[in-house]
Amino acid sequence: IYCSMSGSSAADERKLVIKDTEVTSCKAPEPTYGTGGGVYIVGENCRMNVKLSDVKIKNNEASSSAAGLCLYGSHGATTTADSVVLTRVTLHENKLTDTGARGGAGMVFATYDRDSAITLKNCTVTKNESKTFGGGISLHSSSSGLVCGKLILEVSTVSENKAQNGGGIYVNESNLVMKNTVLTSNTATMEGGGVYVEAGTFTMKDSSRITPSSGADGNAIGKNEVFLKNGKMITVDGALTGTHPVARITPAAYNTTTQVLTGGAVDTEHSKFTVTPKDLGSGNTQQWEINSTGFLQKTPVVIDSSGDAWKKLKDAVAAANDDDVIIIDGAIKATNSSGGKIEIKKNLTIRGKN
């Protein structure tokens, strides 16, 4: 399906309704411009009014972008969260075939307008595959250097999608808002199995959860985690009611100056997030967590006074890395059987429990 909406100004409304429809096994194979294998909707100099409901877009292919669905606001086109709404839309097993593809196997939303928005309600985005970015969904601005457009995901599921970066969702110079939405089992061969935030903003609300991987992949990069480029954060303005943890974050840089959460509820919600351990090489890792201001901090090692506390402290110092924090809970005393003196040849902080 291809639909081009054109008007003489942003005040001109153009309407499209698709409902109770299945779009399957279509292809857009042209190597440079192969976009919108299943459905391609583009607007120019108009107010786009698009309603898709009870639509299945599956098993479609494209070489370049949007194997399943492309929503594109070209020059002069505007959308609102109420004017472009997808309800009970399924995007399933759509595939981008080119290794140089621009991304978005399931769908792409791109616009030149900074204030445009679209809404997905009760939608399912599953098993889509991109060889580059955005296995499930790709969001990006068409105005270089400007953050344009917002996608609101409400009561939806994004699962088992694959990409090089951003297996579930890829955000680049755009805005993503998740409300009561769950991401599960999305993977990336590099980073951001769940969500990859290159540029723009990402907000989590209500019961939204990016279900952390478990078992042997519990701390693996590319396994349904959130990857944040330097300076990018997750916005949290209210209580997150999803099962703890609501997401695992992989930062581009592990520093105490790295902020990964922002918003009015960070002080109460920060403990609901976990951080992928930093890989130190040779099988060693370093544990990090998020403090009440949204910044990274090394996870302290706590030594209590039970048992042979002096030996536990000595072992902790020996195993520590520069800038680690060791907290002593209670009184620790050396005895003849404690194993001797503790030598500190690293930059460590050792303090009592507050």
Side-chain angles (χ1 to χ4, degrees):
I1 297 174
Y2 176 80
C3 177
S4 178
M5 302 174 162
S6 181
S8 58
S9 73
D12 288 347
E13 186 175 60
R14 298 293 184 264
K15 295 183 179 181
L16 172 67
V17 176
I18 303 175
K19 61 181 181 180
D20 301 315
T21 299
E22 184 170 305
V23 182
T24 184
S25 302
C26 301
K27 295 183 179 181
E30 206 282 330
T32 304
Y33 301 104
T35 298
V39 180
Y40 191 160
I41 303 167
V42 57
E44 184 173 7
N45 293 320
C46 68
R47 181 175 181 271
M48 298 172 69
N49 187 324
V50 178
K51 303 293 191 298
L52 274 64
S53 60
D54 300 296
V55 174
K56 294 181 179 179
I57 302 172
K58 62 181 187 177
N59 299 112
N60 302 287
E61 291 184 3
S63 59
S64 179
S65 181
L69 168 66
C70 180
L71 285 166
Y72 177 38
S74 189
H75 295 284
T78 63
T79 66
T80 69
D82 296 323
S83 71
V84 178
V85 181
L86 281 60
T87 306
R88 295 181 301 280
V89 171
T90 297
L91 299 161
H92 179 68
E93 289 191 346
N94 300 287
K95 187 175 182 179
L96 290 176
T97 58
D98 196 328
T99 55
R102 290 175 291 166
M107 73 167 285
V108 168
F109 172 51
T111 179
Y112 280 89
D113 183 58
R114 300 181 72 170
D115 298 320
S116 283
I118 66 172
T119 301
L120 275 64
K121 294 182 178 180
N122 297 295
C123 292
T124 303
V125 184
T126 59
K127 296 186 177 180
N128 303 284
E129 186 173 348
S130 168
K131 294 183 183 298
T132 54
F133 310 109
I137 300 172
S138 180
L139 311 176
H140 62 86
S141 167
S142 294
S143 296
S144 180
L146 295 177
V147 175
C148 296
K150 177 193 296 182
L151 184 141
I152 303 168
L153 270 174
E154 294 187 21
V155 199
S156 294
T157 300
V158 180
S159 65
E160 297 183 76
N161 301 285
K162 299 178 181 180
Q164 185 181 59
N165 287 305
I169 304 173
Y170 181 77
V171 182
N172 188 16
E173 294 185 337
S174 191
N175 304 286
L176 171 64
V177 178
M178 282 177 51
K179 295 181 179 180
N180 301 310
T181 289
V182 177
L183 273 65
T184 59
S185 303
N186 300 286
T187 59
T189 56
M190 293 185 68
E191 296 150 333
V195 180
Y196 188 112
V197 184
E198 176 85 29
T201 69
F202 173 31
T203 300
M204 291 182 66
K205 295 178 176 287
D206 306 325
S207 64
S208 291
R209 187 176 190 233
I210 303 167
T211 308
S213 52
S214 59
D217 292 331
N219 288 313
I221 294 175
K223 301 295 184 180
N224 211 60
E225 94 285 20
V226 180
F227 180 81
L228 300 175
K229 290 282 280 188
N230 288 331
K232 302 301 112 183
M233 294 164 262
I234 300 174
T235 300
V236 182
D237 286 322
L240 296 174
T241 59
T243 303
H244 170 80
V246 296
R248 174 168 59 87
I249 296 173
T250 300
Y254 289 83
N255 295 302
T256 55
T257 56
T258 299
Q259 185 175 2
V260 295
L261 297 179
T262 188
V266 171
D267 59 336
T268 60
E269 306 303 300
H270 66 97
S271 62
K272 297 179 180 179
F273 294 83
T274 61
V275 179
T276 303
K278 181 180 180 180
D279 185 1
L280 300 176
S282 302
N284 298 312
T285 59
Q286 188 177 67
Q287 302 298 314
W288 289 74
E289 61 188 19
I290 305 168
N291 66 24
S292 61
T293 61
F295 285 82
L296 294 181
Q297 66 180 25
K298 289 186 177 181
T299 303
V301 176
V302 179
I303 306 297
D304 62 32
S305 57
S306 64
D308 193 346
W310 185 265
K311 186 177 184 305
K312 288 191 292 184
L313 177 58
K314 181 179 180 180
D315 292 343
V317 168
N321 298 289
D322 280 342
D323 300 322
D324 279 1
V325 177
I326 298 175
I327 295 177
I328 297 174
D329 184 7
I332 294 179
K333 297 180 180 180
T335 65
N336 291 333
S337 61
S338 295
K341 63 183 179 180
I342 297 175
E343 294 186 11
I344 301 176
K345 298 180 180 181
K346 307 168 186 175
N347 294 319
L348 303 178
T349 299
I350 302 176
R351 61 177 174 82
K353 186 176 181 180
N354 293 334

